Amino acid sequence: MDRRQAGTRQYEQTERLGWADAPPQLRLALGLSVLGAVLLIAGPEVGVVQDAPARGFASTALLALLAAAPPFIAGTLIALGRALTAAGVLTGAALLSPGRALVDLQFLQDGLLVSRPELLVPTSLAALAPAAGLWLLVAGHLATGAAGLLAAGRAGANPGSAYGLELDAGPTSERTRGRAIGWALGFATVAAVGLVMPPFRSDNAFQLGHDLIDSPTLVRIGLVLIVAAVVAGCVFAAGSTRPAVARGVVLGVLAATAGVALPQIVAGLTVERLSPDLGPYVALASLLLLTVLIFVLRGTALPGDDAEDTELQLEPGRVHLVTGVLGVLAGVAALVGAVGPQLVVDGLEAPESYANRQLIPVGILIATLGAAMLSNRWAAAVRPAFVVSLGSVVLVGAATLDAAFTGAGISDTVHIGAGIWFAAASMLIAAAAAVAATIAGSAERDDVDLTERTTHLSVAAPAGAAILFSVGAFGFPMITAPDFVAPGIWSEFRLASWGLVIAMVVVIAAGLLATVARPARAAALLLGAAAVVGVHALELPMTSDRVQDATAGSGTWLAIAGCLAFLVAAGIALAGPAPRQDTPQPTPRPARAPENRPSRPVGKRGRRA
């Protein structure tokens, strides 16, 4: 039997652990999870507030099903001999418990500010006093969290037990884990955006559909904890050395997230004067897709994987694949942020938005370069331009967020729209893509001699001019108009100013690195810098309608000059010779020791006689 067949058979024979093999601590964890489900079911039935108003819909069956889902799934898995996966389910579900408990505790502070149609829909401004059901809910979350703590890790199993041996000696595939982590980062980020968006749209003044920013304090803190738990749980699951644990954790996170998002979906569809919003759909759909991917990516051993070889091997091809996927996701999120609503005004039509319009060229640029990163043929050549171009996402994304938050602060009737959260997601995914691309670049440079640095003088002159033009482009206003003060670096420093600073630093770094890089890499760096400055130059034609009598500022002309200078530098770099230190040098052969041979006479023409 060869190693591939042996590895597959070993994987197929793993994790056949039932109730008898489960350590006592895991059994106790399952019992606590059942207790937590009972408390979560009983809390709404007892009533979370005194003299509670009617619920928005008949939610008893749905809430009971969602509360019972984690212990039911875990118990079923143990009965089927999948105790490790069951432990992962309890752990994943417990991660969201602290945040969910804080969200419920908002009833203690002010129940009128809570948007929970599955529990109650206020009909007046009368104060809502907390009742015993609230404490049952909180106790249920605490029991669920305690169950996850008991089930996490070894779950108290002895090293020599069947459970402990199975946990310590399972198959490991670094390639599969790396690929799964890339998908987890992308989909978990999208799910996080969905969770912080409004749960539904509301025309009921007593049942507000607030997003994260507009939510009351405890709800806001609880949502932040929930979002952090979702992202951390998904990444932990993807990177776990045990495929069984990975599948269980992501399944538990999905079940707990469904407990948050599914009642919001039903409320938007069934409750009077409420309508669906995109947030909970995005959260559930992305986590569902991620769960399927984890089951596929971590469900079988890769042919040729060595279970005993746990040394991390960075393969640029795999990292390029992850980078490309993140790039495409960032581009798509930017495009959705460009066309999605930026602000929502209660009872009125949404106002016109301008700052987000530049997300259209940014989304097209990043998605195109990300798609090119998926090809092994083009990935290495495109990567420098892709990394630099990600600065445009931060540049335009920060300006979009700044405009939206400023508008939302004008009145209590103005709220953040769905497009803003996708713009924010594009920035987060772009940051993850930059990290992945940097890892791929560092792995590639291991084969290049970088001990000596020389400057490519033919590139340095136009690149230096481009850098100077770009500093002015980001530092001076792009638009001038009466009574209009744009955010800047030297004055009027706001959220949008951070985007200007980051984009300027990225462009300067790209120009400097291009002077010592290989021709293809230098050209790609300079083209990426030209793209960032070019996107900045589009501010005037794409957003000038926001002010009257708008004219081009000095920043616009400097941006155009900088873009052209970077293009010239890229052409010179591509046509010039490679710097000596960036050309892979052949390994010199050691000199042979001279042999003791008798000398022979040499002829007139230097030949031996």
Side-chain angles (χ1 to χ4, degrees):
M1 181 184 300
D2 60 18
R3 191 179 74 171
R4 180 180 303 181
Q5 294 174 343
T8 304
R9 175 169 296 183
Q10 179 188 10
Y11 178 80
E12 292 173 349
Q13 291 176 350
T14 59
E15 211 226 333
R16 293 292 186 264
L17 303 172
W19 181 260
D21 299 312
Q25 190 168 307
L26 178 57
R27 302 180 196 179
L28 177 60
L30 181 61
L32 275 176
S33 181
V34 172
L35 175 62
V38 172
L39 293 173
L40 292 175
I41 295 172
E45 297 303 313
V46 174
V48 294
V49 296
Q50 298 176 10
D51 301 324
R55 304 183 187 187
F57 62 97
S59 61
T60 300
L62 176 63
L63 295 179
L65 178 64
L66 294 173
F72 176 78
I73 295 173
T76 303
L77 289 170
I78 292 177
L80 296 176
R82 302 287 179 179
L84 285 181
T85 306
V89 170
L90 298 179
T91 303
L95 292 174
L96 278 70
S97 295
R100 297 183 66 183
L102 279 178
V103 171
D104 288 340
L105 282 174
Q106 181 61 43
F107 283 106
L108 182 65
Q109 190 176 67
D110 189 351
L112 291 174
L113 300 179
V114 181
S115 299
R116 302 289 295 277
E118 72 275 17
L119 300 178
L120 56 90
V121 176
T123 57
S124 69
L125 294 178
L128 300 175
L134 174 61
W135 305 114
L136 293 178
L137 278 178
V138 174
H141 293 308
L142 293 178
T144 302
L149 288 176
L150 291 175
R154 303 185 62 85
N158 296 322
S161 64
Y163 191 93
L165 293 174
E166 184 62 29
L167 193 63
D168 294 336
T172 301
S173 169
E174 296 292 346
R175 287 189 296 163
T176 307
R177 290 165 60 192
R179 183 170 48 178
I181 288 175
W183 287 107
L185 281 172
F187 281 101
T189 302
V190 175
V193 173
L195 288 170
V196 300
M197 289 171 62
F200 39 72
R201 298 178 183 177
S202 174
D203 293 328
N204 185 349
F206 298 108
Q207 188 69 91
L208 303 176
H210 285 321
D211 54 28
L212 174 66
I213 300 299
D214 295 327
S215 296
T217 303
L218 289 179
V219 174
R220 189 184 309 140
I221 298 174
L223 283 177
V224 170
L225 292 179
I226 289 173
V227 167
V230 168
V231 175
C234 292
V235 174
F236 169 78
S240 174
T241 58
R242 286 293 306 166
V245 175
R247 296 193 301 269
V249 170
V250 74
L251 192 58
V253 171
L254 174 63
T257 306
V260 176
L262 201 55
Q264 299 172 350
I265 293 176
V266 176
L269 295 172
T270 61
V271 178
E272 185 179 0
R273 305 187 70 179
L274 299 184
S275 58
D277 207 340
L278 198 60
Y281 293 91
V282 170
L284 273 185
S286 57
L287 286 182
L288 183 61
L289 290 174
L290 177 61
T291 302
V292 174
L293 284 172
I294 293 296
F295 269 72
V296 172
L297 295 177
R298 305 302 312 276
T300 57
L302 288 180
D305 287 339
D306 191 352
E308 297 179 358
D309 183 14
T310 60
E311 182 181 359
L312 179 61
Q313 302 291 335
L314 288 179
E315 299 181 15
R318 296 290 183 184
V319 186
H320 283 152
L321 177 63
V322 173
T323 306
V325 171
L326 292 174
V328 172
L329 289 174
V332 172
L335 289 173
V336 176
V339 300
Q342 306 298 300
L343 294 174
V344 178
V345 183
D346 295 341
L348 297 175
E349 186 177 351
E352 189 73 19
S353 58
Y354 298 95
N356 62 311
R357 293 180 178 180
Q358 286 175 272
L359 287 173
I360 296 177
V362 168
I364 295 174
L365 172 67
I366 300 302
T368 302
L369 294 178
M373 291 288 295
L374 299 175
S375 170
N376 291 331
R377 179 180 179 183
W378 298 103
V382 171
R383 187 188 65 249
F386 173 75
V387 175
V388 178
S389 297
L390 291 173
S392 63
V393 181
V394 182
L395 171 67
V396 182
T400 302
L401 296 180
D402 183 45
F405 291 153
T406 301
I410 296 175
S411 172
D412 293 338
T413 61
V414 182
H415 310 291
I416 299 296
I420 290 301
W421 301 116
F422 279 95
S426 68
M427 297 172 64
L428 294 175
I429 302 174
V435 173
T438 302
I439 293 173
S442 64
E444 182 186 275
R445 285 189 292 273
D446 289 341
D447 299 327
V448 179
D449 183 12
L450 300 176
T451 57
E452 296 182 2
R453 284 281 183 183
T454 59
T455 302
H456 224 177
L457 295 179
S458 59
V459 177
I467 289 174
L468 292 177
F469 288 140
S470 300
V471 171
F474 291 112
F476 293 107
M478 305 294 288
I479 299 174
T480 58
D483 301 326
F484 174 73
V485 180
I489 296 178
W490 323 121
S491 61
E492 195 63 24
F493 197 92
R494 305 203 308 251
L495 177 59
S497 303
W498 286 108
L500 295 171
V501 171
I502 293 173
M504 184 177 68
V505 171
V506 169
V507 166
I508 293 174
L512 294 176
L513 289 175
T515 61
V516 293
R518 289 167 284 171
R521 301 296 187 267
L525 287 168
L526 295 168
L527 289 174
V532 175
V533 179
V535 167
H536 189 45
L538 293 175
E539 181 176 346
L540 174 67
M542 299 192 73
T543 69
S544 60
D545 292 342
R546 57 183 167 172
V547 293
Q548 293 181 352
D549 301 328
T551 58
S554 55
T556 297
W557 304 114
L558 290 171
I560 295 174
C563 182
L564 293 176
F566 275 123
L567 292 176
V568 171
I572 295 174
L574 195 58
R580 180 181 59 188
Q581 81 284 354
D582 275 354
T583 304
Q585 303 292 334
T587 304
R589 296 182 179 180
R592 278 182 157 185
E595 298 180 3
N596 295 325
R597 294 181 179 179
S599 61
R600 299 171 62 181
V602 181
K604 294 182 179 180
R605 297 190 178 184
R607 296 179 180 176
R608 295 184 183 275

